Amino acid sequence: MGLTKSEMFTRSQNELAGIAKVLGHPARIAILQEIIKSKSCICGDLVQEVGLAQPTISQHLKELKNIGLIKGDIEGTRVCYCINTKKWEEVKQLFHSFFDTHIPMNDDCC
Amino acid sequence: MGLTKSEMFTRSQNELAGIAKVLGHPARIAILQEIIKSKSCICGDLVQEVGLAQPTISQHLKELKNIGLIKGDIEGTRVCYCINTKKWEEVKQLFHSFFDTHIPMNDDCC
DNA sequence: TTCATTTATCGTAATATTGCAATAAACAAT
DNA sequence: ATTGTTTATTGCAATATTACGATAAATGAA
């Protein structure tokens, strides 16, 4: 089969996993870092910098846009991508909350 | 093809993406939360709680163990899983560092 | 208009992931 | 030794992801 219904899990579990999944590819991490680094946000330069073919980069950008982490501004034939800082903060907070859940000490094992 | 060589990316890009990938499934998020919630760490109870077949849970546990987020203690026929707090803190810090990179304001677009 | 530039989309091949039934392996209890 | 319990592994089918060539779509420049 290979399909788990999302109804099996809570909304927040699906949300966090969905975002983590998009972050789960080094090219997309590289794209985000490159957008941040190049203060003025970049476009097809990502193809040069990341080293994947243009359609591939475009596809990764689409996924990052889908979860709202980046925005794209059309400027003539070019598209200027940049971080959506509002969403960036939200996602930061999401991971923060997840990892800050207190881990109780365990005497029984481990 | 469908394969990007990991040599294309930095060590830390691959590391972060690799961990995010494992977190990128709601069942694995649910498993982590359940382990945390059940103070005394649990075993095959996860099958009951998460609602997937035993081999599926076992497989997800394996992936979580691979990145070191959980440990498994064999206790007779049972295996007691719990959070590897040391690694947990490391991963928390990893995401923290990633999301805390300063996002420069952009006047050009977006 | 015609040509060059840039990005998105389509189509497709290669690969990876997911889920589970069947089964093995390890142990406890009788 | 046999039985029951628990977990890991194997094998496989269904699906998803990834990468890229080809192509379309949109714009700017000549």
Side-chain angles (χ1 to χ4, degrees), chain A residues 1 9 23 30 38-39 48 52 59 76 98:
Chain A
M1 311 285 172
F9 305 101
L23 295 177
S38 322
K39 181 181 180 313
Q48 289 296 315
L52 288 168
Q59 203 174 329
F98 178 73

Side-chain angles (χ1 to χ4, degrees), chain A residues 2-4 43-44 54-55 58 77-79 81:
Chain A
L3 230 185
T4 311
C43 329
Q54 183 269 319
S58 196
T77 60
R78 299 163 164 235
V79 177
Y81 285 101

